[in-house]
């Protein structure tokens, strides 16, 4: 698993940094490709970021900065019910999303979403186009 940058660590609340080794179970997620609508079902481990899961399963998401929150190429769109489970975006994430194409009210950066069991069954839509400034 990739290290999250010190800047990103400040944005992810501590409540997502706990994992009880005895209670970890996989989470079922779906990635939806924005252009084609194709759905790809994957399993993730609590504590992984959405970007890490996408990369591990060869999902077509760029993540140009490697999860350092220095680009917007891991932009994903969540279903409202899952978006509402996340803490508010920090200023740095909002600044990066300002550079993304196809932003919606439920857009987030995949590198900033640490998965918990609450995300069982979530769908993450990957926009058809990205805007890489790197």
């Amino acid at each position: 698993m990739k290290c999250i940058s010190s800047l990103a660590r400040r944005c992810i609340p501590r409540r997502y940094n706990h994992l009880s080794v005895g209670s970890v179970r996989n989470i079922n997620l779906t990635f939806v490709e924005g252009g084609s609508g194709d759905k790809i079902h994957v399993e993730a481990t609590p504590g992984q970021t959405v970007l890490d899961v996408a990369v591990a399963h060869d999902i077509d998401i760029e993540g140009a900065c490697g999860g350092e929150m220095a680009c917007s190429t891991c932009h994903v769109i969540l279903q409202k019910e899952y978006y509402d489970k996340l803490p508010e975006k920090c200023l740095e994430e909002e600044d990066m999303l300002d550079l993304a194409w196809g932003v919606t009210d439920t857009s987030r950066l995949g590198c900033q979403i640490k998965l918990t069991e609450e995300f069982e069954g979530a769908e993450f839509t990957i926009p058809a186009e990205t805007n890489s400034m790197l």
Side-chain angles (χ1 to χ4, degrees):
M1 189 152 87
K2 296 177 185 165
C3 294
I4 296 176
S5 72
S6 60
L7 175 63
R9 270 199 278 313
R10 288 195 308 262
C11 292
I12 297 175
R14 291 188 185 272
R15 73 180 177 134
Y16 290 103
N17 291 333
H18 72 286
L19 289 178
S20 172
V21 175
S23 66
V24 173
R25 69 176 188 87
N26 285 341
I27 306 164
N28 295 297
L29 307 173
T30 302
F31 287 95
V32 180
E33 293 182 357
S36 66
D38 291 343
K39 293 186 176 190
I40 303 156
H41 303 283
V42 300
E43 286 189 354
T45 304
Q48 286 183 294
T49 66
V50 170
L51 175 60
D52 288 338
V53 173
V55 169
H57 290 281
D58 295 321
I59 304 297
D60 190 17
I61 191 168
E62 189 172 345
C65 72
E68 296 295 320
M69 202 168 54
C71 72
S72 62
T73 60
C74 66
H75 166 219
V76 294
I77 301 166
L78 287 82
Q79 300 155 297
K80 178 124 176 69
E81 67 182 283
Y82 293 102
Y83 179 87
D84 290 342
K85 294 177 188 227
L86 292 170
E88 287 189 33
K89 293 174 262 199
C90 63
L91 182 60
E92 292 88 350
E93 183 178 4
E94 287 194 27
D95 288 345
M96 287 296 109
L97 282 169
D98 285 343
L99 304 174
W101 291 345
V103 174
T104 71
D105 290 342
T106 59
S107 289
R108 294 297 295 260
L109 296 179
C111 67
Q112 294 304 295
I113 303 171
K114 275 230 181 180
L115 295 167
T116 66
E117 290 180 0
E118 291 179 288
F119 286 92
E120 176 66 35
E123 285 189 1
F124 298 92
T125 299
I126 301 167
E129 298 182 57
T130 61
N131 182 21
S132 179
M133 303 295 282
L134 295 180

